[in-house]
Amino acid sequence: MKVTLKVYRFNPETDKEPHYDTFNVEAEPTDRVLDCLNKIRWQQDTTLSFRMSCAHGICGSDGLTINSQSALACQKLVKDYDYTKKILIEPLRYFDVVKDLIVDFKPFFERIKSINPQETQSIAKDNIEKERNQTIKERSQFDDALKCILCGCCYGACPVMIGEDREFIGPAAILREQRYLFDSRIADAQERMQIMQKPHGVWGCKSYYKCTVVCPKNIKVTEAILKTKKKITQEQTK
Ligand code: SF4
Ligand code: FES
């Protein structure tokens, strides 16, 4: 069968404005959206630019906006959408477009890095050479956060990031901090909580739950953010 994709295009070297190109590709309902994009690039337009690597939901490089919702192109099948109509393929929202479907991830990784205190060591000095055991229960406090593949889909879906506060630190960065704040081995929790309380930090989250809906690893992102807020509040009222 033929599937029609309407694809966002923008080449900063030649285009003043973005536009959309429409492509018809031969595909099965069980083909992935990524397969369709590859067919376009291999068979119809070699200039179409998008990122991909593993094609199996591991590397997080092919986050896109598909029919107006963030998703990994390698995880979404044609049959996940109404393929009797055009499937709309756009870059991830929030980020600046580099070319076609490729966005600039610098602001994302800057935020991920910004959650770490500059002056302290995460592990206490007198504990650095020792084995640091954890119970299963202790480890379970941050297990979910470890599934994050840094795909940025949550940033493209977050109404705060795309509409209310572009400086907001964002779901994935808070999730990463939750991973440390709930790790029983960590020695710099106070510094980390201070970072989270800076302007545009954890309190910027308005619990829209959009990050949780789109997360391709099914991480309970909003819940992790709420846990982080609760921990900070408990610490303040001690
Ligand atoms: Fe992607 Fe989920 Fe991690 Fe956000 S929390 S970067 S959506 S894997
Ligand atoms: Fe690696 Fe989709 S290509 S997650």
Side-chain angles (χ1 to χ4, degrees), residues 133-135 138-139 142 180-187:
N133 292 331
Q134 267 184 328
T135 64
E138 283 168 340
R139 163 70 193 233
F142 58 94
Y180 288 109
L181 286 175
F182 284 78
D183 188 331
S184 57
R185 302 164 296 185
I186 284 302

Side-chain angles (χ1 to χ4, degrees), residues 68-211:
S68 303
Q69 191 164 70
S70 306
L72 296 180
C74 65
Q75 271 197 344
K76 290 293 181 186
L77 306 181
V78 168
K79 67 177 182 176
D80 293 332
Y81 303 96
D82 179 0
Y83 53 82
T84 62
K85 298 183 182 146
K86 288 176 189 167
I87 300 176
L88 182 62
I89 310 287
E90 295 169 303
L92 270 185
R93 290 177 184 155
Y94 178 70
F95 301 100
D96 291 335
V97 173
V98 176
K99 184 168 184 272
D100 294 340
L101 304 171
I102 295 177
V103 295
D104 180 7
F105 249 53
K106 198 168 165 221
F108 179 81
F109 288 113
E110 278 173 355
R111 282 165 169 76
I112 296 292
K113 273 197 256 170
S114 76
I115 63 141
N116 293 314
Q118 304 294 317
E119 308 291 334
T120 62
Q121 275 192 290
S122 289
I123 299 163
K125 276 199 180 94
D126 59 352
N127 212 2
I128 214 148
E129 301 293 332
K130 297 179 194 159
E131 191 176 9
R132 298 178 300 282
N133 292 331
Q134 267 184 328
T135 64
I136 292 171
K137 194 173 170 206
E138 283 168 340
R139 163 70 193 233
S140 71
Q141 296 297 310
F142 58 94
D143 250 357
D144 208 28
L146 295 176
K147 294 182 204 154
C148 177
I149 55 171
L150 304 176
C151 67
C153 284
C154 50
Y155 281 51
C158 173
V160 177
M161 303 224 67
I162 59 181
E164 299 171 20
D165 176 11
R166 286 190 59 82
E167 299 302 312
F168 176 44
I169 193 166
I174 303 174
L175 181 75
R176 173 63 66 108
E177 193 68 286
Q178 189 263 330
R179 172 255 174 277
Y180 288 109
L181 286 175
F182 284 78
D183 188 331
S184 57
R185 302 164 296 185
I186 284 302
D188 59 357
Q190 293 301 330
E191 289 84 354
R192 290 179 175 279
M193 283 191 268
Q194 278 168 19
I195 290 171
M196 280 291 102
Q197 293 194 80
K198 283 183 181 172
H200 316 291
V202 68
W203 300 107
C205 171
K206 304 285 194 304
S207 301
Y208 286 109
Y209 278 84
K210 298 282 185 189
C211 50

Side-chain angles (χ1 to χ4, degrees), residues 34 51-62 72-75 149:
L34 181 64
R51 288 193 183 105
M52 62 157 287
S53 183
C54 71
H56 287 89
I58 308 288
C59 72
S61 64
D62 61 341
L72 296 180
C74 65
Q75 271 197 344
I149 55 171

